[in-house]
Amino acid sequence: MLQPVQIGPAPWSRAEIRGDLEQFCQLLDARPIRDNRGGMQAPHLFAVWFLARALQPAAIVESGVLKGQGTWMLRQACPDATIHCIDPDLSRVEFRDDRAIYQTDDFAASDWRHLDRERTLLVFDDHVNALDRVRQARKLGFRHMIFEDNYPASIGDCYSLKKAFAGAGFSPVRDRGGDKRNPFLGLKWPQSRKARSPVPPNTDDALFLSRNLAVYSEFPPLFRPSRTRWSDDWTDELYPTPPAVLEETDKDCFPVLWQESLSYTWICYAQLRQ
């Protein structure tokens, strides 16, 4: 089964990524939340910041807020954007954006008719079935999406686009949406239960994505250690991955990026066809 890391033109170049790392590290030093375990770490904070800056959307819908670190980084990227923050439990938010709009209703259950679909960026960090999020976005007329948790076929707690392309299907054992050890997972939204119904291994999901996505781009890891966070070999056979931006010899120049490098989970940008 084809396991692409890139379909269509990526909205970035490697030179642009490398050129923005110094500015990002300065921002990272000013981040409001020093311990963001359970939320985005440096590799994905950089990807979200970089992509949002490149796209400059008029509105951003962030599904999955946790403590608010991602919201803060989106605001640094897009100072003038309207940001809609969705989370089933807003009591955990430590950073609140004064101009953001907060809600607990699920993305699929909300009224977005007031938004310019072409100029809205959807950021899904909610551990909900990514294939269904694509279907929902397509039905509502949105085009630009970031999926923060884009796990490979054999791992992860949600059905990702990477799993769909690999033909893995949704596994109720592997994609454990109801695991009480992670109370942040998408099943806290009642509307997500149907989206998590098991899907057997198949090629239909990959075909749907290939027909409906103009762009699928996995953002490259900043560093790529030889071993993964699961302590096995990080090979392209097991974990197809774009080439890393930095070499291990750069780790002293970017210590936080190196320290948090294993938090990378194949974050991707997806753009629906018009």
Side-chain angles (χ1 to χ4, degrees):
M1 172 63 67
L2 175 69
Q3 296 189 54
V5 298
Q6 178 71 43
I7 296 174
W12 60 71
S13 71
R14 299 185 70 81
E16 289 170 334
I17 292 174
R18 187 64 176 81
D20 281 352
L21 280 175
E22 294 285 353
Q23 183 179 351
F24 171 74
C25 287
Q26 293 175 7
L27 276 178
L28 201 61
D29 286 341
R31 65 194 184 278
I33 299 165
R34 311 310 289 190
D35 181 359
N36 199 41
R37 281 175 292 184
M40 279 190 279
Q41 305 293 312
H44 288 194
L45 287 170
F46 175 73
V48 165
W49 172 77
F50 181 92
L51 283 166
R53 279 211 320 162
L55 295 170
Q56 281 300 303
I60 299 170
V61 178
E62 181 190 18
S63 181
V65 178
L66 197 58
K67 297 178 181 180
Q69 190 94 288
T71 309
W72 181 82
M73 195 59 79
L74 287 166
R75 178 58 71 200
Q76 308 314 302
C78 302
D80 299 322
T82 300
I83 302 179
H84 296 262
C85 298
I86 306 174
D87 199 283
D89 183 2
L90 293 172
S91 68
R92 298 168 299 178
V93 176
E94 296 179 14
F95 169 80
R96 278 185 176 262
D97 185 291
D98 291 340
R99 292 184 288 134
I101 301 165
Y102 289 83
Q103 67 178 66
T104 57
D105 290 337
D106 182 61
F107 166 76
S110 302
D111 185 351
W112 304 113
R113 285 176 292 181
H114 60 292
L115 296 183
D116 182 339
R117 309 299 201 278
E118 184 63 39
R119 300 189 62 215
T120 296
L121 173 63
L122 309 178
V123 181
F124 293 114
D125 185 13
D126 52 16
H127 300 260
V128 172
N129 185 322
L131 185 69
D132 280 342
R133 286 306 197 201
V134 171
R135 289 178 173 136
Q136 292 159 7
R138 178 173 174 267
K139 182 178 180 179
L140 293 169
F142 292 106
R143 295 191 65 216
H144 305 282
M145 299 165 287
I146 293 173
F147 288 91
E148 199 267 338
D149 293 292
N150 190 37
Y151 288 107
S154 61
I155 56 173
D157 56 24
C158 56
Y159 190 43
S160 65
L161 300 190
K162 195 170 181 68
K163 290 181 183 182
F165 274 120
F170 172 79
S171 166
V173 175
R174 181 196 59 222
D175 305 322
R176 52 188 189 281
D179 192 334
K180 294 181 180 178
R181 290 171 295 178
N182 189 345
F184 188 57
L185 298 181
L187 272 179
K188 293 194 70 178
W189 280 302
Q191 295 89 346
S192 301
R193 293 185 185 277
K194 184 176 180 181
R196 284 184 161 277
S197 58
V199 177
N202 67 86
T203 59
D204 294 341
D205 294 346
L207 183 60
F208 171 83
L209 291 174
S210 298
R211 286 175 173 172
N212 286 279
L213 293 181
V215 177
Y216 168 79
S217 295
E218 294 177 13
F219 201 84
L222 300 179
F223 286 101
R224 180 172 169 171
S226 60
R227 307 283 284 181
T228 72
R229 62 199 291 182
W230 302 280
S231 300
D232 57 350
D233 292 334
W234 192 339
T235 66
D236 279 330
E237 182 180 2
L238 294 172
Y239 305 108
T241 308
V245 177
L246 300 168
E247 301 290 339
E248 188 171 341
T249 52
D250 297 313
K251 65 183 181 181
D252 291 336
C253 298
F254 301 99
V256 176
L257 305 187
W258 172 255
Q259 291 162 15
E260 299 185 359
S261 60
L262 291 183
S263 65
Y264 174 81
T265 52
W266 295 268
I267 184 170
C268 70
Y269 167 71
Q271 181 189 119
L272 282 158
R273 299 184 187 277
Q274 289 181 318

